[in-house]
Amino acid sequence: MSRRTIQIEMNRVEGDLDFQLEMEDNIVVDARCIGTLYRGFEQIMLGRKPTDALVITPRICGICGTAQLNAAVLALEHAGRIAVPPNAVRIRNLCLMAETVQSDLRQSFLFFTADFCHPKYLSRPFYDKALAAFQPFKGSVHRGALENSRHIVEIVALFGGQWPHSSYMLPGGVTTPANSRHIIDSLSILNKLTRWFEQTVIGTDLDVWLDLQSAEQFFAWLTEKPAHDESATGLLTQISREIGLQYLGFGTPHMLSYGAYDDPRYAGTFTQHKQRLFKAGFLNGETGIVEAFDQAKITEHVRYAWFQPYPGGLHPFQGQTVPDYQPHSDRYTWCKAPRYQDKVVQTGPLADALIDGEPLIRSLYQAEGGNAWLRQFARLRRTAKLLRTMRDTLHELSADLDEPHMLPPATKDIPDGEGFGLVTAARGGLGHWLQIADGAISRYQVVTPTAWNASPKDSAGRHGHWESSLIGMRVDDPDDPVEIGHIIRSHDPCLVCTVHILDSGKRLTLWP
């Protein structure tokens, strides 16, 4: 039996991500997921005015700044018991959907499918088709995704003044009301992207695609017409299944969703528990039952992370984020280990679809489980649903242009207290928790989607989701482990959310 350790610096992901794998006879027997840069926004926020969160936290990420802004404003509104009008909810939802659509298309066709062009697959029958469609900067789908995805976030710029790092959401609403010009320009952008999506990505009409309800209907549809079979989704499905991605990357069976997009029908008065267009919940992988979600059941562990230790896990309202770099210990990452009900969970579009009850994804999940192919497929399924929901949202806005975009709070300042804001970002559940004392932020904790998926072992020694996804799998060539890339990239990693540098005025280099 041969045993070796390999170190993988994962490229084609957002941010810096390493894996250290222990292998016996090419089988992964242990895994360590390593976030290599310190993330210090929790420290940056201390002592600042609460509304500074609206300017600083969108800088956490250049991909999902709208999601960070939305989580921050929801936390402030929760702390101040502040209501927002329906049109402000619609504008926030529309912009968040635009950001998610761009991220999903780019992750699918710039990051994930590029692995199908790896020389390992040179002798496979699909290889020439993979090159023609997915080869970076040469394939037709890759170039189409680059061109068409860049315009959709112009909708954020129309309503928010800029993208990324916008700050147009304020407690009580948004800075600018919708007008007819916004609606017309947004529909033009949306219609252009929808046409490309229909022609290239799914090979059919959006509504026809969304009418597919079961695994049997989908696989019959796939071979029904050349346009379906030759679409980007068709090709992604065929290649993924030919190389066996439906048998890989399961990880933890527990899934978590915060629910997505506040329902404008319930806006106008403050409520502790928001109604959302897509449901929140916890899919218990042991029972198969979707349970009600309760943010009070979230904890974060730091036993194997480079933070000052504390016993067990702490809820974000009691959480600490104090760096404590220990390169020669058994600690190995700057990422904490979030847990829900003390369980290892995964988050992302697959979890969102299953918890919301999306029929096609649930049918495919019941047939084969939560594998790497289905996780990627669920992302494209979501894109179709969001394109249609964005169109509906724009029509709702156009019907009530004279409605208010802001309900001014009763007081200028956010009162002392605490609040949380939970949203569904492109990569899954994102949460901000803050506490305010004497008019300043006394605690600010951010739990990102990638923190859930990329977590290290917790206080009980249980591996995180990505780590457990890899343990037990066979790697054909440990010096070129393309299989690892398939599994990890199917989650759309974003380590720039999970790790960041605190600007101390000094230049530091940290490495394990």
Side-chain angles (χ1 to χ4, degrees), residues 246-284:
Q246 71 273 34
Y247 305 120
L248 297 175
F250 296 93
T252 176
H254 303 300
M255 302 199 187
L256 185 68
S257 176
Y258 295 162
Y261 313 113
D262 291 347
D263 190 333
R265 293 175 300 176
Y266 297 92
T269 56
F270 174 79
T271 55
Q272 287 279 359
H273 303 288
K274 292 183 176 296
Q275 298 293 324
R276 296 205 144 154
L277 299 180
F278 302 108
K279 299 173 189 169
F282 167 64
L283 173 57
N284 189 319

Side-chain angles (χ1 to χ4, degrees), residues 64 67 84 134 137 150 191 205 226 246 266-267 304 311 316 355 362 378-379 394 396 398 405 438 475 484:
C64 59
V84 296
F134 303 135
F137 305 106
R150 71 189 178 96
N191 289 340
D205 181 80
Q246 71 273 34
Y266 297 92
Y304 289 89
I355 290 166
R362 292 194 78 168
R379 184 168 289 109
L394 283 166
E396 289 172 9
S398 68
H405 63 286
D438 298 327
V475 177
I484 304 296

Side-chain angles (χ1 to χ4, degrees), residues 71 75 258 293 295-296 298 315-317 419-422 430-435 443-447 452:
Y258 295 162
F293 168 70
Q295 63 85 31
I298 294 173
H315 183 270
F317 278 145
F420 61 85
L422 306 176
L430 166 69
H432 288 201
W433 286 260
L434 91 162
Q435 291 171 328
R443 190 190 306 271
Y444 205 102
Q445 297 291 317
V446 179
V447 182
W452 286 103

Side-chain angles (χ1 to χ4, degrees), residues 157-171:
L158 285 170
F159 287 96
Q162 68 177 58
W163 183 91
H165 309 320
S166 322
S167 296
Y168 58 97
M169 300 181 196
L170 299 176

Side-chain angles (χ1 to χ4, degrees), residues 65-78:
T66 301
Q68 302 286 353
L69 173 63
N70 201 354
V73 78
L74 289 176
L76 293 171
E77 288 168 349
H78 186 248

